[in-house]
Coordinates of all heavy atoms in Angstrom, one line a residue:
L14 N -58.6 -67.0 120.8 CA -58.5 -65.8 121.8 C -59.6 -65.0 121.3 O -60.4 -64.4 122.1 CB -57.1 -65.0 121.6 CG -57.0 -63.8 122.4 CD1 -57.3 -64.1 123.8 CD2 -55.7 -63.2 122.1
D15 N -59.8 -64.6 120.0 CA -60.9 -63.7 119.6 C -62.2 -64.2 119.9 O -63.1 -63.5 120.4 CB -60.8 -63.5 118.0 CG -59.6 -62.6 117.8 OD1 -59.2 -61.8 118.4 OD2 -59.1 -62.7 116.7
N16 N -62.5 -65.6 119.8 CA -63.8 -66.0 120.0 C -64.3 -66.1 121.6 O -65.3 -65.6 122.0 CB -63.9 -67.6 119.5 CG -64.0 -67.6 118.0 OD1 -64.3 -66.7 117.4 ND2 -63.6 -68.9 117.5
R17 N -63.3 -66.3 122.3 CA -63.3 -66.3 123.8 C -63.5 -64.9 124.3 O -64.5 -64.7 125.1 CB -62.0 -66.9 124.5 CG -62.2 -68.4 124.7 CD -63.4 -68.8 125.4 NE -63.7 -70.2 125.3 CZ -64.7 -70.7 125.9 NH1 -65.7 -70.0 126.6 NH2 -65.0 -72.0 125.8
L18 N -62.8 -63.9 123.7 CA -63.1 -62.6 124.0 C -64.4 -62.0 123.7 O -65.1 -61.4 124.5 CB -62.1 -61.6 123.4 CG -60.5 -61.8 124.0 CD1 -59.6 -60.9 123.2 CD2 -60.5 -61.2 125.4
S19 N -64.8 -62.5 122.5 CA -66.3 -62.1 122.1 C -67.3 -62.7 123.1 O -68.2 -62.0 123.5 CB -66.5 -62.6 120.7 OG -65.7 -62.0 119.8
F20 N -67.1 -64.0 123.4 CA -68.2 -64.8 124.3 C -68.0 -64.0 125.7 O -69.1 -63.7 126.4 CB -67.8 -66.1 124.5 CG -68.7 -67.0 125.3 CD1 -70.0 -67.2 124.8 CD2 -68.3 -67.5 126.5 CE1 -70.9 -67.7 125.5 CE2 -69.2 -68.1 127.3 CZ -70.6 -68.3 126.7
M21 N -66.8 -63.7 126.3 CA -66.7 -62.9 127.6 C -67.4 -61.6 127.5 O -68.2 -61.1 128.5 CB -65.3 -62.7 127.9 CG -64.5 -64.0 128.3 SD -62.8 -64.0 128.0 CE -62.3 -62.5 129.0
L22 N -67.3 -61.0 126.3 CA -68.0 -59.6 126.2 C -69.5 -59.9 126.2 O -70.3 -59.0 126.7 CB -67.5 -59.0 124.8 CG -68.2 -57.7 124.6 CD1 -67.8 -56.6 125.6 CD2 -67.6 -57.2 123.1
F23 N -70.1 -60.7 125.4 CA -71.5 -61.0 125.3 C -72.1 -61.2 126.8 O -73.2 -60.6 127.0 CB -71.9 -62.1 124.4 CG -71.5 -61.9 122.9 CD1 -71.1 -62.8 122.0 CD2 -71.3 -60.5 122.4 CE1 -70.7 -62.5 120.8 CE2 -71.0 -60.3 121.1 CZ -70.6 -61.4 120.3
I24 N -71.5 -62.1 127.5 CA -72.0 -62.4 128.8 C -71.9 -61.2 129.7 O -72.9 -60.9 130.4 CB -71.2 -63.5 129.6 CG1 -71.2 -64.8 128.7 CG2 -71.6 -63.8 131.0 CD1 -72.6 -65.5 128.6
Q25 N -70.9 -60.4 129.6 CA -70.7 -59.2 130.4 C -71.8 -58.2 130.0 O -72.4 -57.5 130.9 CB -69.4 -58.6 130.2 CG -69.2 -57.3 131.2 CD -67.8 -56.8 131.1 OE1 -67.0 -57.4 130.4 NE2 -67.5 -55.8 131.9
I26 N -72.1 -58.0 128.9 CA -73.1 -57.1 128.3 C -74.5 -57.4 128.9 O -75.2 -56.5 129.3 CB -73.2 -57.0 126.7 CG1 -72.0 -56.4 126.1 CG2 -74.6 -56.2 126.2 CD1 -71.8 -56.5 124.6
I27 N -74.8 -58.8 128.7 CA -76.3 -59.2 129.4 C -76.2 -58.9 130.8 O -77.2 -58.3 131.2 CB -76.3 -60.7 129.1 CG1 -76.5 -60.9 127.4 CG2 -77.6 -61.2 129.8 CD1 -76.3 -62.5 127.2
L28 N -75.2 -59.3 131.6 CA -75.2 -59.0 133.1 C -75.2 -57.5 133.4 O -75.9 -57.1 134.3 CB -74.1 -59.8 133.8 CG -74.3 -61.3 133.7 CD1 -73.1 -62.0 134.3 CD2 -75.6 -61.7 134.2
L29 N -74.5 -56.7 132.6 CA -74.4 -55.2 132.9 C -75.8 -54.6 132.6 O -76.2 -53.8 133.4 CB -73.4 -54.7 132.0 CG -72.0 -54.7 132.3 CD1 -71.1 -54.1 131.3 CD2 -71.8 -53.8 133.6
S30 N -76.5 -55.2 131.6 CA -77.8 -54.6 131.4 C -78.8 -55.0 132.4 O -79.6 -54.1 133.0 CB -78.4 -55.2 130.1 OG -77.5 -54.9 129.1
L31 N -78.8 -56.2 132.9 CA -79.6 -56.5 134.0 C -79.4 -55.7 135.2 O -80.2 -55.5 136.1 CB -79.5 -58.0 134.4 CG -79.9 -59.0 133.2 CD1 -79.5 -60.4 133.6 CD2 -81.6 -58.9 132.9
C32 N -78.1 -55.4 135.6 CA -77.8 -54.7 136.7 C -77.9 -53.1 136.7 O -78.0 -52.6 137.8 CB -76.4 -55.0 137.2 SG -76.1 -56.8 137.8
T33 N -77.8 -52.7 135.5 CA -77.9 -51.1 135.4 C -79.1 -50.6 134.9 O -79.4 -49.4 135.2 CB -76.7 -50.7 134.6 OG1 -76.8 -51.3 133.2 CG2 -75.3 -51.1 135.3
F34 N -80.0 -51.3 134.1 CA -81.2 -51.0 133.5 C -82.2 -50.4 134.6 O -82.9 -49.4 134.4 CB -81.8 -51.8 132.6 CG -81.4 -51.6 131.2 CD1 -81.3 -52.7 130.2 CD2 -81.0 -50.5 130.7 CE1 -80.8 -52.6 129.0 CE2 -80.6 -50.2 129.3 CZ -80.5 -51.4 128.5
P35 N -82.3 -51.2 135.7 CA -83.3 -50.7 136.7 C -82.9 -49.5 137.2 O -83.9 -48.6 137.4 CB -83.1 -51.9 137.8 CG -82.7 -53.0 137.0 CD -81.7 -52.4 135.9
Q36 N -81.7 -49.1 137.5 CA -81.4 -47.8 138.0 C -81.7 -46.6 137.1 O -82.2 -45.5 137.4 CB -80.0 -47.6 138.6 CG -79.8 -46.4 139.3 CD -78.3 -46.0 139.7 OE1 -77.4 -46.4 138.7 NE2 -78.1 -45.3 140.7
A37 N -81.3 -46.9 135.8 CA -81.7 -46.0 134.7 C -83.2 -45.6 134.7 O -83.7 -44.5 134.5 CB -81.3 -46.4 133.3
I38 N -84.0 -46.8 134.6 CA -85.5 -46.5 134.6 C -85.9 -45.8 135.9 O -86.8 -44.8 135.7 CB -86.2 -47.9 134.8 CG1 -85.8 -48.7 133.4 CG2 -87.6 -47.8 134.8 CD1 -86.2 -50.1 133.3
Q39 N -85.3 -46.1 137.1 CA -85.7 -45.3 138.3 C -85.4 -43.8 138.2 O -86.1 -43.0 138.7 CB -85.0 -46.0 139.5 CG -85.3 -45.5 140.8 CD -84.4 -44.3 141.3 OE1 -83.4 -44.3 140.9 NE2 -85.0 -43.5 142.2
K40 N -84.2 -43.6 137.6 CA -83.7 -42.3 137.4 C -84.7 -41.4 136.4 O -85.1 -40.4 136.8 CB -82.3 -42.2 136.9 CG -81.2 -42.6 137.8 CD -80.8 -41.4 138.6 CE -79.6 -41.6 139.4 NZ -79.3 -40.4 140.4
M41 N -85.0 -42.2 135.4 CA -86.0 -41.4 134.4 C -87.2 -41.3 135.1 O -87.9 -40.2 134.9 CB -86.1 -42.3 133.1 CG -84.8 -42.5 132.4 SD -84.1 -40.9 131.8 CE -85.4 -40.8 130.4
Y42 N -87.8 -42.2 135.8 CA -88.9 -42.1 136.5 C -89.1 -40.9 137.5 O -90.0 -40.1 137.4 CB -89.5 -43.5 137.2 CG -90.7 -43.4 138.0 CD1 -92.0 -43.5 137.4 CD2 -90.6 -43.1 139.4 CE1 -93.1 -43.4 138.2 CE2 -91.8 -43.0 140.2 CZ -93.0 -43.2 139.6 OH -94.1 -43.1 140.2
S43 N -88.2 -40.9 138.4 CA -88.0 -39.8 139.3 C -87.9 -38.5 138.8 O -88.4 -37.5 139.4 CB -86.9 -40.1 140.4 OG -85.7 -40.1 139.6
T44 N -87.4 -38.3 137.5 CA -87.0 -37.2 137.0 C -88.3 -36.6 136.1 O -88.6 -35.5 136.0 CB -85.8 -37.3 136.0 OG1 -84.7 -37.6 136.7 CG2 -85.6 -35.9 135.3
L45 N -88.9 -37.6 135.4 CA -90.0 -37.2 134.5 C -91.4 -37.1 135.1 O -92.1 -36.2 134.8 CB -90.0 -38.3 133.3 CG -88.8 -38.2 132.4 CD1 -89.0 -39.4 131.4 CD2 -88.7 -36.9 131.7
I46 N -91.7 -38.0 136.2 CA -92.9 -38.0 136.9 C -93.0 -36.8 137.8 O -92.1 -36.7 138.6 CB -93.1 -39.3 137.6 CG1 -93.0 -40.5 136.8 CG2 -94.5 -39.3 138.3 CD1 -94.0 -40.4 135.5
P47 N -94.0 -36.1 137.7 CA -94.2 -34.8 138.5 C -94.2 -35.3 140.1 O -94.7 -36.4 140.4 CB -95.5 -34.2 138.1 CG -95.8 -34.8 136.7 CD -95.2 -36.1 136.7
N48 N -93.6 -34.3 141.0 CA -93.6 -34.6 142.3 C -95.2 -34.6 142.8 O -95.8 -33.8 142.6 CB -92.8 -33.7 143.1 CG -91.3 -33.8 142.8 OD1 -90.9 -34.8 142.5 ND2 -90.6 -32.7 142.8
E49 N -95.4 -35.7 143.6 CA -96.7 -35.8 144.2 C -96.5 -35.8 145.7 O -95.4 -35.8 146.2 CB -97.4 -37.1 143.8 CG -97.6 -37.3 142.3 CD -98.1 -38.7 141.9 OE1 -98.3 -39.5 143.0 OE2 -98.4 -38.9 140.9
V50 N -97.7 -35.5 146.4 CA -97.5 -35.5 147.9 C -97.4 -37.0 148.2 O -98.1 -37.9 148.0 CB -99.0 -35.0 148.5 CG1 -98.9 -35.0 149.9 CG2 -99.2 -33.6 148.0
E51 N -96.2 -37.2 148.8 CA -95.6 -38.5 149.2 C -96.0 -38.7 150.7 O -95.6 -38.0 151.5 CB -94.2 -38.6 148.8 CG -94.0 -38.6 147.5 CD -92.6 -38.9 147.1 OE1 -91.7 -38.8 148.0 OE2 -92.3 -39.2 145.8
T52 N -96.3 -39.9 151.1 CA -96.6 -40.3 152.4 C -95.2 -40.8 153.0 O -94.3 -41.3 152.1 CB -97.6 -41.3 152.5 OG1 -97.1 -42.6 151.7 CG2 -98.9 -40.9 151.9

């Protein structure tokens, strides 16, 4: 049970990172980069 729970957790961590990191980067970019004249 402990080994399976650990394996389930590792897979979830990897997929969570792939799905959520892009939005975190986008949020940081839009917040830190000065506003430019946008077309």
